[in-house]
Amino acid sequence: MATAAVPPPSDMGDVGGGRGRTRLRRFLSGIARPYRNSHGVGRFMLISGTVLVCLMLVMAVFSPLIAPYGFSQVADATGERFGNHLEPGGDHWFGTSTQGFDVFSRVVWGARTAVTVVLLALAFSLFIGVLLGLLAGFIGRWVDRVLVMIMDSLYALPALLLAIVVAFLLAEHVGGGTATAALAITAVYIPQYFRVVRAATISAKEQTYVEAARAMGARPITIMLRYLLSNVVQSVPVIATLNAADAILTLAGLGFLGYGIQPTEASEWGYDLQRAVADAGTGIWWTGLFPGLAIVLLVMGLTLMGEGLNETMNPAIRVRRLVSITMPSIDRATARRDDAAGGTAGTTGSVDDLRKGDVR
Amino acid sequence: MEMRDLEVHFDLRSSALARLLGSAGETVKAVDGVNVLLRRGEVLGLVGESGSGKTTLGRALLGLVRPTSGQIRYGADDLASLPQRRLRVLRRRLQMVFQDPHAALNPTMDLRTAIGHPLRIHGLVSSRAEARDRVIDALERVGLTPAHQFLDKLPAELSGGQKQRAVIARAIICGPELLVADEPISMLDMSVRAKILELMLDLKRELDLTYVYITHDLATAKFFCDRVAIMYLGRVVELGPTEEIFADPKHPYTRALLGAVPDPDPERRVPRDLPRGEIPDAAAPPHGCSFHPRCPLAFEPCGWEARDLRAMFERRWTRLGEDVFANEQPLVAALDDVKVGDGTARIRVPSNRQVSELAGLMEEAQAETPDDPLWRGVVGVETDDDTVVVRFHEGSDPGLLRSGGVDVACHLHDPRLRPEGAERRG
């Protein structure tokens, strides 16, 4: 903003822009790095996982366009009811369910629910978990002890049970919607981020650069946000991706048990599965298969992505790509001629060959 | 700036039960009663072995560790008792350069942000462009040119010497008065060291800085410092102008340190009387002068105690081997639980051994190593019923005393205690 006031050297004009570009480039290359560095099985997992997840994301974002009907629609535009247990085909690609919902629409809308809930839950638990972990690790003393005790007691409960309890408690106040499900799942995952971030903070706060920040007069809050945060969140993306997969299952589990999102609020795969349990015995396979398949695909996609990320980013198990170097075969006749000439003109081609063997 | 009776003690972690019962755990006296006056514009070297408390003293100077007691006068303020809030404001005048440049920069912060951060913290700039100009100025001062190429670099993209320059740039950007440099070159390549030191001298001239230079490297201390304080186990044992200390070291410890400097000339063989033994446990420092157990010149008032007797036996056993150890160790087993500062050692002989055996052993040990300074500290050996009592000369703590151009903490240079002929011996 003040660049105008300064008599500018020639490069002064795009200071802000240049800086923004550097940041953006750094950010983008940070995202692209795992894809570039991965190889073999890790690369396969990462890419196939990303493709699956992107498909589901597209489905979630554009569900109003993709789904032919609403998630709680039981009659078409003319007011004619769909009829129950219609076989797949015709107007209803995946058939209709016991209550007369269009299964395909339910599956598509379900993607939106799942993605919304998981994103919300991740955002909440990331925010709370990282913040508390940072505080506990940085402040230490009794804050640390109390927080660790609370988190450990949360850990002691089975994830689904904890989610049910939270969902149950919140249902009265918040209602049976997306927010309740997201908060219930949040409670399950906070301890994981807390632990990882706390451990990283404890080791990072002994670093010299933290003391340097103190020596330059930074306030504790500045130290935490500007010096520690960026250094302790490195391993969080991997956990977040793996947790997202787990969160889908927890959400479905909640819905299956009837503590999740109410069927009138949104379409939810777990709930659909539960309604389809009775159908399976009578040969109606489509009501259960498609929501189940959707769960499997999304969970698989996220898991593959998480494991792939882990494989490329976790220094403990990472195997860097090895590229074999093929040394250029020296043409004896050429070599002799070069020797005789006292020059090395004939070897320029080999430089390119060497460059192909890009070893990192 | 003046330090008075500065002490920094660290409590060793004691067991939960001991804490419940309210008993104090052991204390490490990292800095134990230091009095140093720091003059504006000078370079003061803090020299000592690792564990001598030099880094802790440097950090205490900046208020990074809280002194247990004592004062640090800086202008009208006492840094030792100033609350954090007021201390933070002063930090722009007191800066630090760290030993490890690879760790002293936040790995996720580019240089523009990292070096300009002190300015933002203290609210010294009003706009980004101004901060950028100041950062460029600082980068140019420390020789990172062309500066604009370094602005967006991350620390990982720099070499060790460049990182240390960046650290120095960050330290000088607020216009400090005092710079504490904690072994600023020990982690750098040989080829870069001299350049960094020269840079620091240039900066001192240009910016009118005062340095506290912490090092274990006597060669650079000699080159760099106006005055040197030699530290041993948390105390300053000798303090004076660099030339005088290097030309005529007074304290036996300084002498030993200087004797340990390797000489590149293979023809010249200097007699090296390196101090024997290791630097003692700082949690239980020796009685009296901390250096006396290792000092070749120690004499009566240096603070002899029962632990020194045990150390003497241990040296004897190392020399004479396992058989002697097996034979003699049970005799003096009572020495295993002597306390710090015991002026008399009562050695109860076990019932199956004769007390005369022990008395004989004592005489034998003395006859074998009559030059061991320990015997100068022994006042008398008496034999009781089943106990041998060894009395030691009463010891006292040497304080810093003026001797010639330097201050030295050694009884050898105390005219009231100096024995006849000490000058010759010393």
Side-chain angles (χ1 to χ4, degrees):
Chain A
M1 51 160 196
T3 41
V6 183
S10 58
D11 65 343
M12 212 51 182
D14 62 11
V15 173
R19 191 180 186 192
R21 268 209 301 281
T22 327
R23 287 248 167 107
L24 184 69
R25 204 183 312 139
R26 218 169 254 160
F27 179 71
L28 287 180
S29 78
I31 291 180
R33 189 175 306 127
Y35 294 92
R36 272 192 284 113
N37 287 357
S38 62
H39 62 102
V41 181
R43 179 167 216 151
F44 166 76
M45 291 201 293
L46 192 56
I47 289 179
S48 55
T50 313
V51 168
L52 276 178
V53 171
C54 286
L55 273 179
M56 285 295 177
L57 280 178
V58 167
M59 211 153 92
V61 172
F62 298 107
S63 44
L65 302 178
I66 297 172
Y69 305 104
F71 58 83
S72 55
Q73 202 174 343
V74 289
D76 60 19
T78 59
E80 191 186 338
R81 287 186 71 87
F82 292 152
N84 301 347
H85 292 156
L86 291 182
E87 288 213 22
D91 279 348
H92 305 288
W93 294 355
F94 289 177
T96 60
S97 71
T98 321
Q99 300 121 299
F101 296 134
D102 177 53
V103 174
F104 179 66
S105 305
R106 294 278 300 176
V107 167
V108 172
W109 284 104
R112 172 170 266 205
T113 316
V115 168
T116 320
V117 169
V118 168
L119 282 184
L120 273 181
L122 276 188
F124 286 153
S125 51
L126 263 177
F127 179 75
I128 301 175
V130 169
L131 184 74
L132 291 184
L134 206 53
L135 281 175
F138 184 68
I139 298 174
R141 302 196 301 273
W142 63 269
V143 179
D144 187 36
R145 290 194 188 187
V146 170
L147 283 173
V148 165
M149 208 168 65
I150 295 174
M151 294 298 165
D152 279 356
S153 54
L154 282 183
Y155 241 135
L157 298 172
L160 195 56
L161 187 64
L162 181 65
I164 289 174
V165 171
V166 177
F168 194 70
L169 290 177
L170 288 176
E172 287 180 25
H173 305 288
V174 191
T178 326
T180 310
L183 287 175
I185 294 169
T186 301
V188 175
Y189 296 106
I190 287 177
Q192 296 197 15
Y193 299 109
F194 172 81
R195 281 195 169 182
V196 169
V197 169
R198 172 180 170 270
T201 309
I202 287 178
S203 69
K205 80 169 175 182
E206 301 298 329
Q207 294 284 327
T208 317
Y209 60 82
V210 174
E211 193 180 6
R214 285 215 295 142
M216 66 176 92
R219 265 187 279 269
I221 182 85
T222 319
I223 294 178
M224 272 199 286
L225 295 183
R226 299 296 302 275
Y227 287 83
L228 287 175
L229 183 63
S230 51
N231 289 299
V232 299
V233 294
Q234 315 263 347
S235 54
V236 165
V238 174
I239 317 173
T241 326
L242 288 173
N243 275 351
D246 210 42
I248 301 281
L249 287 179
T250 312
L251 174 70
L254 278 178
F256 190 84
L257 294 172
Y259 296 102
I261 297 166
Q262 296 308 305
T264 47
E265 301 256 353
S267 163
E268 208 277 306
W269 297 332
Y271 173 81
D272 290 355
L273 266 186
Q274 197 259 329
R275 302 298 302 200
V277 168
D279 300 342
T282 60
I284 302 167
W285 50 270
W286 57 90
T287 50
L289 177 70
F290 294 112
L293 210 56
I295 295 177
V296 169
L297 285 180
L298 184 49
V299 169
M300 199 167 78
L302 285 167
T303 312
L304 285 174
M305 203 172 136
E307 291 293 346
L309 276 181
N310 200 17
E311 198 131 306
T312 45
M313 286 168 74
N314 185 343
I317 59 171
R318 172 176 56 194
V319 184
R320 282 286 167 86
R321 185 155 49 141
L322 291 177
V323 181
S324 57
I325 302 176
T326 38
M327 292 301 280
S329 58
I330 298 172
D331 185 347
R332 286 180 185 281
T334 326
R336 215 170 293 130
R337 200 182 59 230
D338 283 346
D339 282 349
T344 52
T347 57
T348 44
S350 66
V351 176
D352 287 335
D353 292 342
L354 278 174
R355 204 175 285 146
K356 275 180 207 147
D358 164 16
V359 185
R360 262 177 279 231
Chain B
M1 190 167 210
E2 189 181 2
M3 293 162 248
R4 264 190 227 143
D5 301 327
L6 194 66
E7 298 191 350
V8 184
H9 296 177
F10 294 112
D11 287 331
L12 290 185
R13 187 174 283 258
S14 48
S15 69
L17 185 66
R19 252 179 294 165
L20 272 182
L21 295 174
S23 70
E26 282 183 298
T27 322
V28 174
K29 297 179 177 174
V31 176
D32 188 16
V34 166
N35 292 287
V36 175
L37 181 70
L38 191 59
R39 304 191 189 98
R40 179 179 294 272
E42 76 169 348
V43 182
L44 173 71
L46 297 180
V47 183
E49 283 173 280
S50 51
S52 60
K54 52 193 194 304
T55 299
T56 309
L57 179 59
R59 289 168 37 135
L61 273 181
L62 301 185
L64 288 173
V65 284
R66 283 280 157 168
T68 317
S69 66
Q71 291 183 322
I72 306 170
R73 289 249 151 246
Y74 173 70
D77 293 312
D78 178 14
L79 296 187
S81 60
L82 219 56
Q84 283 290 345
R85 190 180 306 274
R86 303 254 326 269
L87 203 54
R88 271 202 287 275
V89 182
L90 281 179
R91 291 263 163 82
R92 51 176 282 218
R93 308 229 157 271
L94 314 167
Q95 277 294 336
M96 185 148 184
V97 175
F98 293 88
Q99 176 173 14
D100 183 358
H102 309 285
L105 290 166
N106 182 352
T108 58
M109 216 184 233
D110 57 21
L111 284 194
R112 174 208 307 262
T113 324
I115 295 173
H117 206 209
L119 295 173
R120 281 190 47 187
I121 288 170
H122 296 289
L124 296 178
V125 285
S126 50
S127 71
R128 276 205 175 164
E130 196 186 340
R132 181 181 187 268
D133 291 345
R134 293 278 294 267
V135 170
I136 287 181
D137 181 52
L139 282 172
E140 273 166 2
R141 271 189 193 282
V142 299
L144 287 178
T145 46
H148 62 266
Q149 278 191 5
F150 287 93
L151 282 179
D152 290 318
K153 286 246 191 330
L154 288 175
E157 296 162 339
L158 303 180
S159 72
Q162 286 173 330
K163 278 184 214 170
Q164 194 62 296
R165 283 172 193 267
V167 171
I168 294 174
R170 183 177 65 184
I172 60 165
I173 198 163
C174 278
E177 291 175 346
L178 171 70
L179 215 58
V180 175
D182 184 1
E183 311 214 10
I185 55 170
S186 68
M187 301 280 282
L188 299 177
D189 284 353
M190 279 298 172
S191 52
V192 190
R193 291 186 174 186
K195 285 184 195 156
I196 294 285
L197 280 185
E198 257 163 42
L199 167 69
M200 287 178 64
L201 282 177
D202 288 345
L203 290 175
K204 173 178 166 345
R205 261 194 307 278
E206 288 168 25
L207 304 174
D208 192 23
L209 292 169
T210 308
Y211 283 131
V212 171
Y213 179 71
I214 300 170
T215 186
H216 58 252
D217 180 2
L218 287 159
T220 58
K222 187 176 181 178
F223 163 73
F224 196 63
C225 301
D226 302 324
R227 287 199 306 151
V228 174
I230 310 282
M231 291 194 67
Y232 186 76
L233 272 189
R235 298 192 177 186
V236 173
V237 295
E238 189 163 357
L239 170 69
T242 311
E243 304 88 55
E244 275 192 56
I245 285 192
F246 277 85
D248 178 24
K250 295 269 194 315
H251 197 282
Y253 177 62
T254 317
R255 230 170 277 174
L257 271 187
L258 290 175
V261 174
D263 196 324
D265 183 357
E267 298 294 309
R268 229 171 44 206
R269 292 214 146 270
V270 271
R272 297 199 193 286
D273 43 350
L274 299 180
R276 62 187 178 199
E278 295 282 315
I279 193 160
D281 180 6
H287 186 57
C289 170
S290 329
F291 188 59
H292 82 260
R294 303 172 71 189
C295 180
L297 304 174
F299 64 116
E300 289 84 354
C302 287
W304 297 102
E305 55 178 324
R307 284 187 296 167
D308 298 321
L309 193 62
R310 190 176 59 194
M312 186 278 294
F313 276 116
E314 278 162 7
R315 285 197 295 275
R316 174 182 158 82
W317 296 329
T318 337
R319 212 167 44 238
L320 297 182
E322 227 168 292
D323 297 337
V324 185
F325 169 74
N327 178 34
E328 294 175 0
Q329 200 275 333
L331 263 181
V332 294
L335 279 176
D336 284 349
D337 43 46
V338 292
K339 290 188 191 62
V340 176
D342 274 350
T344 14
R346 297 177 182 282
I347 315 170
R348 181 185 289 271
V349 177
S351 50
N352 57 347
R353 306 288 287 262
Q354 297 296 315
V355 79
S356 54
E357 266 185 87
L358 180 54
L361 172 61
M362 296 285 300
E363 276 165 28
E364 189 190 327
Q366 180 160 13
E368 196 186 359
T369 55
D371 290 338
D372 194 322
L374 170 74
W375 303 115
R376 289 182 215 144
V378 175
V379 174
V381 183
E382 293 155 25
T383 315
D384 229 351
D385 219 358
D386 59 345
T387 315
V388 172
V389 181
V390 186
R391 287 184 200 289
F392 294 100
H393 201 287
E394 206 160 308
S396 63
D397 252 354
L400 271 181
L401 285 173
R402 197 94 197 137
S403 171
V406 300
D407 292 312
V408 59
C410 181
H411 289 319
L412 281 171
H413 299 278
D414 188 340
R416 283 166 299 159
L417 294 171
R418 184 166 45 208
E420 286 306 307
E423 274 311 314
R424 183 176 41 79
R425 208 164 59 196

